[in-house]
Amino acid sequence: MKKLYTAALALLLSLYGCSAQTEMSEFKGVITEKSDSGLVTVESTGGDIEKGSLVSFSTANLADNGAKVGDTVVVAFDGEIAETYPLQITASGWDLVFQSEDGAVAMSVYSVTPEGCKVTFTNGRDVSYSFFGYRIEKKIAGGSWEPINDEYYEDESSWKVGPGCSTEIKLNWKDYCGALPKGKYRLVYQYLCDGKDKALLLSSEFTV
């Protein structure tokens, strides 16, 4: 009877895939250090790692998302945490969190052609913002985003949008990357609040 019960339990586990599933964990945090070798330290702001904890991991086998010290990222890992200082994990993925000042600052992309598009910047806050420097990222297999160029393209153009206002521009990226082949992309723009010295990021997806 014991052998029959054991065999039945094994069959149930195999049918439901319980023994083969690995539940992924993730947390959000702010990058405090980033070395040339790809070692990153992040201070957790919530998720599956206690808020305020410092966490280190290697990005050597991860896609380069352009993250730098001060940026907010979401990090996926296998749930294993080494109780060192800082804590150590093996990250399986990490993505930038594009900030939009609680949704009050927004960007939309439309009228897309292979050579460019129209962009509207909307500022719903009570201070002015300047929008400058962009890059284009392409969606690749697995859902990751890969920058077409490593640097943000700064064409000496800057658009200042006053409180409660919006501005429409025509963007021609021919000098930046030429005509884009068919695919899914996102436009990533830098923007800066008056009186601040740290640029934030906005993104909007589009299809060519």
Side-chain angles (χ1 to χ4, degrees), residues 33-41 56-62 94:
E33 292 183 47
K34 185 180 181 185
S35 71
D36 293 337
S37 63
L39 185 65
V40 172
T41 301
S56 289
F57 58 91
S58 173
T59 63
N61 296 319
L62 304 179
W94 67 323

Side-chain angles (χ1 to χ4, degrees), residues 67-155:
K68 56 188 181 299
V69 172
D71 286 341
T72 299
V73 290
V74 173
V75 184
F77 66 105
D78 59 8
E80 297 293 325
I81 304 172
E83 297 294 334
T84 57
Y85 183 82
L87 301 174
Q88 300 283 331
I89 62 169
T90 299
S92 58
W94 67 323
D95 291 298
L96 272 168
V97 175
F98 293 94
Q99 302 179 53
S100 62
E101 293 293 315
D102 297 326
V105 180
M107 176 179 70
S108 58
V109 174
Y110 49 97
S111 299
V112 177
T113 71
E115 291 79 26
C117 66
K118 289 183 179 179
V119 181
T120 294
F121 302 112
T122 302
N123 175 15
R125 295 183 66 83
D126 57 1
V127 292
S128 295
Y129 284 86
S130 296
F131 297 82
F132 64 97
Y134 69 89
R135 77 178 182 188
I136 297 173
E137 300 177 349
K138 184 173 184 179
K139 199 167 192 176
I140 58 176
S144 299
W145 295 98
E146 183 176 83
I148 291 178
N149 289 322
D150 292 334
E151 301 295 328
Y152 284 88
Y153 181 62
E154 298 188 23
D155 58 358

Side-chain angles (χ1 to χ4, degrees), residues 12 46 48 97 99 171:
L12 280 173
D48 293 320
V97 175
Q99 302 179 53
L171 183 65

Side-chain angles (χ1 to χ4, degrees), residues 128-132 190-200:
S128 295
Y129 284 86
S130 296
F131 297 82
F132 64 97
Q190 301 176 111
Y191 71 107
L192 191 67
C193 176
D194 276 2
K196 303 293 184 180
D197 57 6
K198 175 172 172 51
L200 302 176

